[in-house]
Amino acid sequence: MELPFTLQRLPPEALDVLRFLHKHQAAAASAEIEQGAQLSARLVGRAIRRLINFRLIQYSLDSYELTGDGELAARQLADYDAALAAAAGSGRAELPKVPRRLTVVMPRVLRANTPTDLFVGVNPPTANTPQLTKEVHITLRVSALGGVLGSSDFGLVVPVDKAAQPAKVSLTPDQAGRAVRVRIDAFQAVDADHLQFEPLGGMYFDVRVSMDSSQDAALRAVGMDMLLKPINV
Protein backbone atom coordinates (compact mmCIF):
# COMPACT_ATOMS: atom_id res chain seq x y z
CA MET A 1 0.00 0.00 0.00
CA GLU A 2 1.24 3.48 -0.85
CA LEU A 3 0.39 6.85 0.62
CA PRO A 4 -2.15 8.89 -1.37
CA PHE A 5 -0.50 11.50 -3.58
CA THR A 6 -1.45 14.43 -1.31
CA LEU A 7 0.21 12.80 1.69
CA GLN A 8 3.31 11.93 -0.33
CA ARG A 9 3.94 15.67 -0.76
CA LEU A 10 3.98 16.32 3.00
CA PRO A 11 7.17 16.25 5.09
CA PRO A 12 7.44 13.66 7.91
CA GLU A 13 6.71 16.19 10.65
CA ALA A 14 3.41 17.16 8.98
CA LEU A 15 2.39 13.49 8.92
CA ASP A 16 3.22 13.24 12.64
CA VAL A 17 0.97 16.23 13.34
CA LEU A 18 -1.86 14.62 11.37
CA ARG A 19 -1.41 11.42 13.37
CA PHE A 20 -1.57 13.32 16.66
CA LEU A 21 -4.66 15.37 15.76
CA HIS A 22 -6.42 12.23 14.51
CA LYS A 23 -5.81 10.45 17.83
CA HIS A 24 -6.47 13.61 19.89
CA GLN A 25 -9.92 14.05 18.31
CA ALA A 26 -10.04 17.72 19.31
CA ALA A 27 -8.44 21.07 18.57
CA ALA A 28 -4.97 21.49 20.06
CA ALA A 29 -2.63 24.38 20.70
CA SER A 30 0.94 24.39 19.40
CA ALA A 31 2.34 23.37 22.78
CA GLU A 32 -0.02 20.37 22.94
CA ILE A 33 1.01 19.31 19.45
CA GLU A 34 4.70 19.61 20.31
CA GLN A 35 4.24 17.34 23.31
CA GLY A 36 1.82 14.91 21.72
CA ALA A 37 3.71 14.52 18.44
CA GLN A 38 7.11 14.72 20.19
CA LEU A 39 8.37 17.41 17.83
CA SER A 40 10.32 20.60 18.37
CA ALA A 41 8.59 23.98 18.15
CA ARG A 42 10.41 24.67 14.88
CA LEU A 43 9.20 21.45 13.25
CA VAL A 44 5.65 21.93 14.51
CA GLY A 45 5.59 25.46 13.10
CA ARG A 46 6.80 24.23 9.72
CA ALA A 47 4.29 21.35 9.72
CA ILE A 48 1.40 23.64 10.63
CA ARG A 49 2.21 26.05 7.80
CA ARG A 50 2.30 23.21 5.27
CA LEU A 51 -0.94 21.64 6.55
CA ILE A 52 -2.74 24.98 6.45
CA ASN A 53 -1.54 25.57 2.88
CA PHE A 54 -2.92 22.15 1.95
CA ARG A 55 -6.19 23.01 3.78
CA LEU A 56 -5.87 19.96 6.00
CA ILE A 57 -6.01 21.93 9.28
CA GLN A 58 -7.49 25.27 10.30
CA TYR A 59 -6.72 27.80 13.02
CA SER A 60 -9.39 28.78 15.53
CA LEU A 61 -9.19 30.30 19.02
CA ASP A 62 -5.44 29.76 19.44
CA SER A 63 -5.78 26.09 18.44
CA TYR A 64 -5.54 23.93 15.35
CA GLU A 65 -8.04 21.34 14.19
CA LEU A 66 -8.53 19.06 11.21
CA THR A 67 -10.69 20.23 8.32
CA GLY A 68 -12.97 17.83 6.48
CA ASP A 69 -10.19 17.08 4.01
CA GLY A 70 -7.82 16.74 6.95
CA GLU A 71 -10.05 14.13 8.59
CA LEU A 72 -10.03 12.12 5.36
CA ALA A 73 -6.25 12.45 4.99
CA ALA A 74 -5.71 11.42 8.62
CA ARG A 75 -7.86 8.31 8.16
CA GLN A 76 -5.93 7.42 5.01
CA LEU A 77 -2.68 7.84 6.93
CA ALA A 78 -3.98 5.62 9.74
CA ASP A 79 -4.95 2.94 7.20
CA TYR A 80 -1.48 3.18 5.67
CA ASP A 81 0.22 2.82 9.06
CA ALA A 82 -1.96 -0.19 9.88
CA ALA A 83 -1.17 -1.86 6.55
CA LEU A 84 2.56 -1.38 7.13
CA ALA A 85 2.29 -2.86 10.61
CA ALA A 86 0.31 -5.84 9.32
CA ALA A 87 2.83 -6.51 6.56
CA ALA A 88 5.71 -6.28 9.00
CA GLY A 89 3.96 -8.61 11.43
CA SER A 90 3.30 -11.22 8.77
CA GLY A 91 6.85 -11.02 7.44
CA ARG A 92 5.39 -10.73 3.94
CA ALA A 93 7.70 -9.03 1.46
CA GLU A 94 6.09 -6.59 -0.95
CA LEU A 95 6.36 -7.62 -4.59
CA PRO A 96 8.55 -5.38 -6.76
CA LYS A 97 6.75 -2.92 -8.99
CA VAL A 98 6.48 -3.73 -12.66
CA PRO A 99 7.71 -1.29 -15.33
CA ARG A 100 5.37 -0.82 -18.31
CA ARG A 101 5.09 2.00 -20.84
CA LEU A 102 1.99 4.02 -21.68
CA THR A 103 2.03 5.04 -25.36
CA VAL A 104 -0.11 7.47 -27.36
CA VAL A 105 -0.13 7.18 -31.18
CA MET A 106 -1.56 9.96 -33.35
CA PRO A 107 -1.05 11.75 -36.68
CA ARG A 108 1.93 14.07 -36.69
CA VAL A 109 -0.21 17.06 -37.75
CA LEU A 110 -3.97 17.48 -37.20
CA ARG A 111 -6.58 19.51 -39.04
CA ALA A 112 -8.44 22.31 -37.24
CA ASN A 113 -12.12 21.72 -36.35
CA THR A 114 -11.83 18.08 -37.40
CA PRO A 115 -12.02 15.23 -34.86
CA THR A 116 -9.07 12.83 -35.02
CA ASP A 117 -8.58 9.68 -32.95
CA LEU A 118 -5.63 9.32 -30.58
CA PHE A 119 -4.87 5.70 -29.68
CA VAL A 120 -3.69 5.01 -26.13
CA GLY A 121 -2.22 1.70 -25.02
CA VAL A 122 0.33 -0.01 -22.80
CA ASN A 123 3.28 -1.83 -24.34
CA PRO A 124 4.00 -5.52 -23.62
CA PRO A 125 6.48 -6.37 -20.87
CA THR A 126 10.16 -6.38 -21.71
CA ALA A 127 12.51 -9.27 -21.02
CA ASN A 128 14.34 -9.59 -17.71
CA THR A 129 11.97 -7.32 -15.79
CA PRO A 130 9.48 -8.11 -12.98
CA GLN A 131 6.13 -9.41 -14.22
CA LEU A 132 2.57 -8.79 -13.10
CA THR A 133 0.85 -11.51 -11.10
CA LYS A 134 -2.51 -10.79 -12.77
CA GLU A 135 -4.00 -8.15 -15.05
CA VAL A 136 -4.37 -4.65 -13.60
CA HIS A 137 -6.81 -1.85 -14.36
CA ILE A 138 -5.71 1.72 -14.89
CA THR A 139 -7.76 4.87 -15.34
CA LEU A 140 -6.56 7.71 -17.56
CA ARG A 141 -7.70 11.30 -17.10
CA VAL A 142 -7.19 13.48 -20.15
CA SER A 143 -7.42 17.23 -20.71
CA ALA A 144 -6.60 19.45 -23.68
CA LEU A 145 -5.73 23.13 -24.00
CA GLY A 146 -6.67 24.48 -27.42
CA GLY A 147 -8.93 21.60 -28.41
CA VAL A 148 -11.95 19.50 -27.45
CA LEU A 149 -11.71 15.87 -26.35
CA GLY A 150 -14.36 13.24 -26.93
CA SER A 151 -13.84 11.93 -23.38
CA SER A 152 -12.10 13.15 -20.24
CA ASP A 153 -11.39 9.74 -18.72
CA PHE A 154 -11.32 6.09 -19.74
CA GLY A 155 -9.81 2.82 -18.60
CA LEU A 156 -7.32 0.25 -19.84
CA VAL A 157 -6.78 -3.35 -18.79
CA VAL A 158 -3.09 -4.28 -18.69
CA PRO A 159 -2.53 -8.03 -19.24
CA VAL A 160 0.26 -9.96 -17.59
CA ASP A 161 2.20 -10.97 -20.70
CA LYS A 162 1.08 -8.82 -23.63
CA ALA A 163 0.14 -5.32 -24.69
CA ALA A 164 -3.11 -3.74 -23.52
CA GLN A 165 -5.95 -3.43 -25.99
CA PRO A 166 -5.68 0.24 -27.08
CA ALA A 167 -8.41 2.73 -26.31
CA LYS A 168 -9.10 5.75 -28.44
CA VAL A 169 -10.15 9.30 -27.70
CA SER A 170 -11.04 11.93 -30.30
CA LEU A 171 -9.36 15.33 -30.32
CA THR A 172 -10.72 18.33 -32.23
CA PRO A 173 -8.29 21.27 -32.47
CA ASP A 174 -9.84 24.71 -32.09
CA GLN A 175 -7.61 26.81 -34.33
CA ALA A 176 -5.41 26.30 -37.40
CA GLY A 177 -1.73 26.88 -36.74
CA ARG A 178 -2.11 26.73 -32.96
CA ALA A 179 -0.81 23.60 -31.24
CA VAL A 180 -3.00 21.69 -28.79
CA ARG A 181 -1.48 20.73 -25.44
CA VAL A 182 -2.74 17.37 -24.16
CA ARG A 183 -2.23 16.13 -20.59
CA ILE A 184 -2.73 12.54 -19.42
CA ASP A 185 -2.64 11.37 -15.80
CA ALA A 186 -2.68 7.65 -14.98
CA PHE A 187 -4.03 5.89 -11.89
CA GLN A 188 -4.01 2.20 -10.95
CA ALA A 189 -6.91 0.47 -9.20
CA VAL A 190 -5.43 -1.37 -6.22
CA ASP A 191 -8.55 -3.03 -4.79
CA ALA A 192 -10.96 -5.58 -6.20
CA ASP A 193 -13.88 -3.12 -6.38
CA HIS A 194 -11.85 -0.44 -8.22
CA LEU A 195 -12.63 2.11 -5.54
CA GLN A 196 -9.07 2.86 -4.44
CA PHE A 197 -6.52 4.26 -6.88
CA GLU A 198 -2.83 5.10 -6.71
CA PRO A 199 -1.20 7.68 -9.02
CA LEU A 200 1.18 6.37 -11.68
CA GLY A 201 2.33 9.73 -12.98
CA GLY A 202 1.40 12.00 -15.84
CA MET A 203 2.69 13.54 -19.02
CA TYR A 204 1.82 16.29 -21.46
CA PHE A 205 2.63 16.79 -25.11
CA ASP A 206 1.83 19.25 -27.90
CA VAL A 207 0.03 18.29 -31.09
CA ARG A 208 0.66 20.40 -34.19
CA VAL A 209 -2.32 21.78 -36.12
CA SER A 210 -2.06 22.53 -39.82
CA MET A 211 -2.29 26.10 -41.06
CA ASP A 212 -4.53 24.93 -43.91
CA SER A 213 -7.04 22.11 -44.39
CA SER A 214 -4.40 19.38 -44.85
CA GLN A 215 -3.56 16.66 -42.36
CA ASP A 216 -0.22 14.82 -42.24
CA ALA A 217 -0.89 11.08 -42.44
CA ALA A 218 2.48 10.24 -40.85
CA LEU A 219 2.17 8.97 -37.29
CA ARG A 220 4.05 9.85 -34.14
CA ALA A 221 4.16 8.20 -30.73
CA VAL A 222 4.76 9.67 -27.29
CA GLY A 223 4.86 7.82 -24.01
CA MET A 224 5.80 7.61 -20.37
CA ASP A 225 7.08 4.86 -18.11
CA MET A 226 4.86 3.59 -15.30
CA LEU A 227 5.56 1.39 -12.30
CA LEU A 228 2.57 -0.89 -11.79
CA LYS A 229 1.83 -2.54 -8.47
CA PRO A 230 1.33 -6.34 -8.69
CA ILE A 231 -1.99 -7.47 -7.24
CA ASN A 232 -1.79 -10.21 -4.62
CA VAL A 233 -3.34 -13.46 -5.83
Side-chain angles (χ1 to χ4, degrees):
M1 180 178 184
E2 290 191 357
L3 279 173
F5 180 63
T6 299
L7 295 178
Q8 291 180 25
R9 295 186 292 168
L10 292 174
E13 61 270 16
L15 298 180
D16 287 338
V17 171
L18 278 180
R19 291 184 179 101
F20 168 73
L21 290 175
H22 182 61
K23 292 178 182 177
H24 190 60
Q25 289 295 302
S30 296
E32 291 179 272
I33 297 173
E34 291 171 26
Q35 184 176 4
Q38 297 184 341
L39 295 170
S40 68
R42 182 180 64 84
L43 287 178
V44 167
R46 188 166 68 182
I48 284 173
R49 288 192 296 272
R50 184 65 66 88
L51 291 169
I52 287 177
N53 288 339
F54 277 57
R55 299 181 181 177
L56 299 180
I57 65 172
Q58 58 190 6
Y59 180 72
S60 176
L61 301 176
D62 297 325
S63 297
Y64 299 92
E65 61 184 357
L66 295 170
T67 63
D69 287 343
E71 291 280 3
L72 175 61
R75 287 196 299 270
Q76 292 173 330
L77 180 58
D79 291 343
Y80 171 78
D81 289 341
L84 283 186
S90 66
R92 183 182 61 197
E94 190 168 314
L95 295 172
K97 292 192 174 181
V98 177
R100 299 289 286 268
R101 187 165 179 81
L102 180 75
T103 302
V104 184
V105 178
M106 73 207 87
R108 189 173 298 276
V109 180
L110 304 189
R111 182 187 306 164
N113 302 311
T114 302
T116 302
D117 287 334
L118 280 57
F119 292 87
V120 187
V122 176
N123 291 7
T126 57
N128 302 318
T129 60
Q131 301 294 302
L132 294 170
T133 53
K134 60 184 296 186
E135 66 181 25
V136 301
H137 295 253
I138 64 174
T139 293
L140 302 173
R141 296 175 185 167
V142 192
S143 61
L145 181 62
V148 178
L149 291 161
S151 175
S152 60
D153 61 82
F154 53 91
L156 288 175
V157 178
V158 184
V160 172
D161 57 353
K162 58 185 179 181
Q165 180 68 33
K168 65 180 180 180
V169 57
S170 68
L171 172 62
T172 305
D174 289 337
Q175 183 177 336
R178 179 186 175 188
V180 180
R181 173 154 292 185
V182 179
R183 179 172 180 86
I184 299 180
D185 291 286
F187 303 83
Q188 179 184 347
V190 291
D191 66 329
D193 297 323
H194 301 170
L195 298 176
Q196 183 179 356
F197 292 84
E198 292 185 0
L200 298 172
M203 66 173 176
Y204 67 86
F205 53 90
D206 293 335
V207 184
R208 291 173 55 199
V209 182
S210 175
M211 287 290 292
D212 51 37
S213 61
S214 64
Q215 178 171 326
D216 191 340
L219 298 179
R220 64 179 286 225
V222 297
M224 73 171 187
D225 295 323
M226 304 181 297
L227 288 175
L228 303 179
K229 183 175 182 179
I231 305 298
N232 289 326
V233 295

